[in-house]
Amino acid sequence: MLQVLIVGAGQGGSALINMLVKMEQVHIVAVIDKREDAPGIQLAQKLGIEVGRGYLPYLHKNVDVILEATGDEQAYQEILVEKPNQVVLIPGTFTSLVMRLIEEREQLIGQLTHSQREHAIMLNSTHDAIIAVNAKGVVTIFNRAAEKLMGIEAEKVLESEAEATIPNTRLHIVLQTGQPELNQEQELPNKTRIITNRVPVRDENGAVMGAVAIFRDITEVMALAEEVTDLKELKSMLQAIINSSDEAISVVDAQGYGILFNPAYTRITGLGHDEVIGKPASADISEGESMHMQVLRTKKPVRGVPMKLGPKRKDVMVNVAPVIVDGELKGSVGVVHDISELKTLTEELEKARRLIRTLEAKYTFDEIIGESEPMKVAIEQAGKAAHTPATVLLRGESGTGKELFAHAIHNDSQRKYNQFIRVNCAAISESLLESELFGYEEGAFTGAKRGGKRGLFEEASGGTIFLDEIGELSIGMQAKLLRVLQEREIVRVGATKAIPIDVRVIAATHVNLESAISSGRFREDLYYRLNVVPIHIPPLRQRKEDMKPLVRFLLRKYNLEYGRNVQDISDDAMSRLLHYQWPGNVRELENVLGRALINMKLHETIIYEGHLPTLEQRSSNTPEPNPSKNKLTDKRKLKEVLDDAERTHIRLVLEQCQGNRTEAARELGVSLRNLYYKLEKLGIDQE
């Protein structure tokens, strides 16, 4: 046994004593210090170790090692001189170094022990069961959750091979393959269903150094999933019910802060999420007391309370009731009825009555079907006219789509957001037309409305007025209309004061106005006022290439109206349509196709020739003039002769060009627009 003498009983000496007494092969001969109250002296006395104030008496008592712990260099030199040669003297500096290393070791051991204790606590506290093995498949971790789920005590499996002691384990397979097994469902021997993840543990070089299995009883998970699903379904159903309600609903919590509202509430109040959720119940009130706060104070419902809500001060009626769960107040729910809608409906009804003869423009150029050259020219002219304030005169036969063009011109103009008024001049009697167009003052005639009435020109101010069948106006009404176009003002019936108006006029007629002027049925000055931008809309017989797209468009329209599924038209039926002259134009085509669908059986999807009604060709009462028979007579004026010659020549050129008006205009050396004007003027277009 090693005999050790300790010289110096300070803190360092005390540490040496504590360390050496734990070593079985070391015997402390004595502890030496000049101070009797030194810490090491007191510790040595407690441990039954001999103490002294000088070291010389102990140098010859079979001492093998002297540990100098004074830290005094002089003391070290004295002991070095006095000690026998066979005794080893260890200086204080080395002793201090050893002590520091020992202290650090103790600290590290303490920290490691504490860390291991923490890890063990955490592993045993987790709800998930954890089993770990090392590279040899020996169990190193088996926490309490694993004990509970598997019914095996940890001490029976720790430090054993998992394959031998843990039923159905696959950790040894994960060790062999190095591949994880994730989200695996498994049944334990005790019939418990678990879901487990088994993963390999790798070192910094990627080598497998163990494996870990983490698993839990999925009975609880499945029950929780079912509860969550039920809650989600219930929440979704309640949310759908609240959102689908036409009645506005708002809910606040027990402190009066908004927690829920539906789209109807936003529609009525104009308030959104950021202005309601988390805000006081009074945030939406523009006039009145918060009924939510009253209900939260009294815990009693209130009904039929008039209020004004939102920035628009909507007039509403509210019903509010407390929300009580298990006897505890959780908040309140309010149902809001918009009573301003009745007033709005009344105003809209009155407006509809005032504008009984008005029609908002609903067609655009995109809805005008036409790929033929004449139709392209008309659409191009109308598109240019739409961007000017000029008066437009739409000319063409009945059923060609003059009103469609009027709608499109208005919708493509700067006035599209203002009123579009349609007036059929031929449908209103002469006695009523003036008062309808220009309005009247109170007492202007028997039955005049109290307060008078605005005319259609006033209603259309800022927008567009469409005067259909302008050629049917009487001479007297033509004079009054001329004044409106010239002065841009109207005078109500029974009034003397003129009212300025800002109206864009679009007129339409199927009448040959030039002939009407010659016969005295139409004012020439009004003609020039209307004919600022003349647009000729060609009849259907002059744009046969548009027949197929028109038929397809109308079939889609009638399929929706009649609930049919007609897909196409046969070649024979289309050929018959192409060879017909269409005196009623597109309106007649609509009629023919509608009757064809009525003649078809429900399962038929193609229009055949037999489905079409009888198409009677229009007879012509005007014989084709023969140029060789045109003779000058004394009774005809020069203008008539020139017109007749021009008419004959244009007919001949059209015949040579097989009706192609673009080519005919080129042969005649005039613009296509000028050709259309001459065709209309000379009556060739009516043939």
Side-chain angles (χ1 to χ4, degrees):
M1 181 174 292
L2 189 65
Q3 304 295 322
V4 177
L5 176 65
I6 299 175
V7 180
Q11 294 295 334
S14 299
L16 286 172
I17 294 170
N18 284 325
M19 179 186 70
L20 295 176
V21 295
K22 297 177 183 178
M23 298 180 181
E24 295 180 357
Q25 301 300 321
V26 176
H27 174 253
I28 300 175
V29 176
V31 177
I32 308 301
D33 200 288
K34 295 179 180 180
R35 296 181 299 135
E36 293 182 356
D37 59 347
I41 296 297
Q42 297 178 7
L43 177 61
Q45 289 175 341
K46 289 181 181 180
L47 296 175
I49 300 173
E50 186 175 348
V51 298
R53 301 187 65 180
Y55 58 85
L56 292 176
Y58 297 96
L59 292 180
H60 302 285
K61 290 186 177 183
N62 298 323
V63 174
D64 298 316
V65 177
I66 301 175
L67 295 177
E68 190 274 316
T70 63
D72 185 350
E73 180 64 25
Q74 184 177 353
Y76 171 78
Q77 294 297 333
E78 290 177 357
I79 297 172
L80 184 63
V81 173
E82 297 293 338
K83 75 175 183 67
N85 291 332
Q86 72 275 13
V87 176
V88 177
L89 174 62
I90 298 177
T93 54
F94 181 77
T95 303
S96 298
L97 176 62
V98 172
M99 290 306 302
R100 282 198 302 272
L101 292 175
I102 292 172
E103 288 176 359
E104 289 178 3
R105 172 179 173 275
E106 292 296 328
Q107 289 176 359
L108 289 174
I109 292 173
Q111 290 175 0
L112 179 61
T113 302
H114 180 70
S115 177
Q116 289 176 338
R117 190 179 299 112
E118 285 184 342
H119 289 166
I121 292 172
M122 287 189 290
L123 288 173
N124 288 324
S125 299
T126 181
H127 183 67
D128 291 332
I130 301 175
I131 302 175
V133 297
N134 60 18
K136 296 180 180 181
V138 175
V139 179
T140 56
I141 296 175
F142 196 89
N143 70 348
R144 289 200 184 99
E147 289 181 311
K148 182 178 178 181
L149 279 178
M150 303 198 68
I152 303 175
E153 295 181 2
E155 60 184 20
K156 293 182 179 180
V157 295
L158 287 172
E159 304 302 328
S160 67
E161 290 188 5
E163 185 178 2
T165 57
I166 300 177
N168 299 333
T169 184
R170 291 180 56 84
L171 287 175
H172 61 288
I173 296 176
V174 174
L175 282 175
Q176 294 170 5
T177 63
Q179 298 297 319
E181 297 180 354
L182 304 177
N183 298 320
Q184 301 295 309
E185 187 176 343
Q186 182 179 341
E187 186 178 272
L188 299 177
N190 58 10
K191 305 301 180 181
T192 301
R193 301 294 300 180
I194 63 170
I195 192 78
T196 179
N197 291 323
R198 306 181 188 94
V199 295
V201 179
R202 300 179 184 274
D203 59 18
E204 62 273 10
N205 297 319
V208 177
M209 54 180 293
V212 176
I214 302 175
F215 54 97
R216 67 163 50 187
D217 186 351
I218 62 172
T219 305
E220 295 181 10
V221 176
M222 293 176 66
L224 182 60
E226 290 177 359
E227 290 180 7
V228 170
T229 301
D230 292 342
L231 287 174
K232 286 183 177 179
E233 289 180 355
L234 180 60
K235 180 181 178 182
S236 298
M237 182 175 291
L238 291 175
Q239 192 70 44
I241 292 172
I242 291 173
N243 288 343
S244 63
S245 173
D246 287 334
E247 303 292 344
I249 298 173
S250 71
V251 183
V252 301
D253 60 20
Q255 285 71 45
Y257 291 97
I259 58 174
L260 186 148
F261 66 98
N262 68 345
Y265 176 85
T266 298
R267 186 183 70 249
I268 290 177
T269 64
L271 300 176
H273 182 277
D274 295 338
E275 298 165 296
V276 177
I277 301 301
K279 298 296 189 295
S282 58
D284 60 351
I285 299 174
S286 56
E287 185 176 312
E289 179 190 357
S290 171
M291 291 298 102
H292 277 304
M293 299 308 298
Q294 179 177 323
V295 168
L296 291 176
R297 287 195 305 268
T298 64
K299 297 185 180 181
K300 294 180 180 180
V302 295
R303 307 205 179 276
V305 180
M307 300 178 66
K308 290 184 182 292
L309 295 185
K312 296 183 179 179
R313 299 173 60 83
K314 270 292 185 71
D315 291 307
V316 299
M317 192 78 71
V318 299
N319 298 325
V320 185
V323 178
I324 298 176
V325 180
D326 297 330
E328 183 179 352
L329 180 68
K330 294 294 185 179
S332 68
V333 58
V335 179
V336 181
H337 304 275
D338 185 1
I339 59 176
S340 66
E341 290 185 3
L342 295 175
K343 182 179 178 181
T344 302
L345 289 174
T346 303
E347 291 176 351
E348 289 180 355
L349 179 60
E350 179 61 26
K351 181 180 179 181
R353 287 173 176 170
R354 289 199 317 266
L355 303 179
I356 192 68
R357 292 190 179 277
T358 67
L359 176 67
E360 292 191 5
K362 55 184 177 181
Y363 303 112
T364 65
F365 285 117
D366 293 335
E367 297 172 86
I368 298 177
I369 308 299
E371 295 297 328
S372 62
E373 191 63 31
M375 204 61 176
K376 285 183 177 179
V377 171
I379 294 173
E380 181 182 359
Q381 291 175 344
K384 292 179 179 178
H387 299 111
T388 70
T391 302
V392 176
L393 179 60
L394 300 172
R395 308 190 65 170
E397 298 177 11
S398 294
T400 53
K402 296 187 290 296
E403 184 171 338
L404 191 68
F405 270 80
H407 284 243
I409 291 171
H410 173 78
N411 275 332
D412 203 37
S413 71
Q414 294 182 348
R415 298 172 179 261
K416 62 182 177 180
Y417 297 113
N418 295 321
Q419 194 65 264
F420 177 83
I421 305 293
R422 177 192 180 279
V423 183
N424 190 329
C425 299
I428 306 175
S429 65
E430 178 72 21
S431 59
L432 293 177
L433 186 57
E434 182 178 1
S435 61
E436 286 292 318
L437 289 177
F438 309 130
Y440 57 81
E441 292 293 323
E442 180 178 348
F445 50 82
T446 302
K449 184 179 179 181
R450 178 174 295 180
K453 178 185 175 183
R454 285 158 54 95
L456 295 178
F457 268 99
E458 285 185 75
E459 294 285 358
S461 188
T464 303
I465 189 166
F466 173 47
L467 302 176
D468 199 6
E469 303 296 353
I470 194 73
E472 303 297 331
L473 288 177
S474 66
I475 293 296
M477 187 56 68
Q478 291 177 30
K480 294 176 181 179
L481 179 60
L482 176 62
R483 184 179 185 279
V484 174
L485 296 177
Q486 287 178 335
E487 306 298 334
R488 293 293 173 179
E489 61 184 22
I490 59 101
V491 179
R492 290 183 179 181
V493 176
T496 57
K497 182 180 178 181
I499 301 174
I501 57 170
D502 173 23
V503 178
R504 200 275 181 73
V505 176
I506 301 176
T509 183
H510 71 283
V511 174
N512 188 323
L513 295 182
E514 291 78 13
S515 298
I517 292 172
S518 299
S519 61
R521 291 183 292 108
F522 201 84
R523 295 179 62 104
E524 189 173 10
D525 47 3
L526 178 59
Y527 169 79
Y528 290 121
R529 281 290 178 184
L530 293 173
N531 201 41
V532 178
V533 182
I535 298 175
H536 175 80
I537 303 174
L540 186 56
R541 62 181 174 276
Q542 294 176 3
R543 54 184 189 109
K544 294 294 182 68
E545 55 266 51
D546 292 335
M547 182 65 71
K548 288 185 179 180
L550 274 171
V551 169
R552 293 193 182 97
F553 173 80
L554 292 173
L555 285 180
R556 289 194 297 270
K557 172 185 174 183
Y558 287 130
N559 278 335
L560 293 174
E561 291 183 4
Y562 294 176
R564 304 295 292 271
N565 187 31
V566 179
Q567 301 294 325
D568 205 349
I569 183 170
S570 67
D571 292 340
D572 291 341
M574 180 59 74
S575 176
R576 188 175 171 192
L577 296 180
L578 289 171
H579 285 85
Y580 184 55
Q581 292 304 306
W582 299 106
N585 294 295
V586 180
R587 187 180 292 119
E588 185 180 4
L589 176 62
E590 291 178 337
N591 178 275
V592 168
L593 290 177
R595 290 161 64 188
L597 261 66
I598 294 172
N599 292 334
M600 296 174 66
K601 295 180 181 179
L602 291 176
H603 66 276
E604 292 179 317
T605 60
I606 297 178
I607 297 177
Y608 292 101
E609 188 175 3
H611 295 134
L612 297 175
T614 302
L615 300 177
E616 298 179 358
Q617 294 292 348
R618 180 179 62 173
S619 61
S620 176
N621 296 324
T622 306
E624 186 72 18
N626 188 343
S628 64
K629 294 182 181 180
N630 286 341
K631 296 180 180 180
L632 181 63
T633 65
D634 294 335
K635 294 182 179 180
R636 293 199 299 167
K637 296 181 180 180
L638 179 60
K639 184 177 183 303
E640 294 175 351
V641 175
L642 292 175
D643 287 347
D644 196 17
E646 191 173 16
R647 185 184 297 109
T648 302
H649 185 65
I650 290 175
R651 282 199 185 104
L652 289 173
V653 173
L654 281 171
E655 184 177 350
Q656 291 174 2
C657 297
Q658 298 180 345
N660 188 321
R661 301 192 175 202
T662 303
E663 186 177 343
R666 191 180 302 113
E667 291 292 331
L668 291 168
V670 297
S671 67
L672 185 60
R673 178 177 177 181
N674 194 12
L675 175 59
Y676 278 119
Y677 170 74
K678 290 182 179 294
L679 293 174
E680 179 75 17
K681 175 184 175 183
L682 299 172
I684 300 174
D685 190 47
Q686 303 297 321
E687 299 174 356

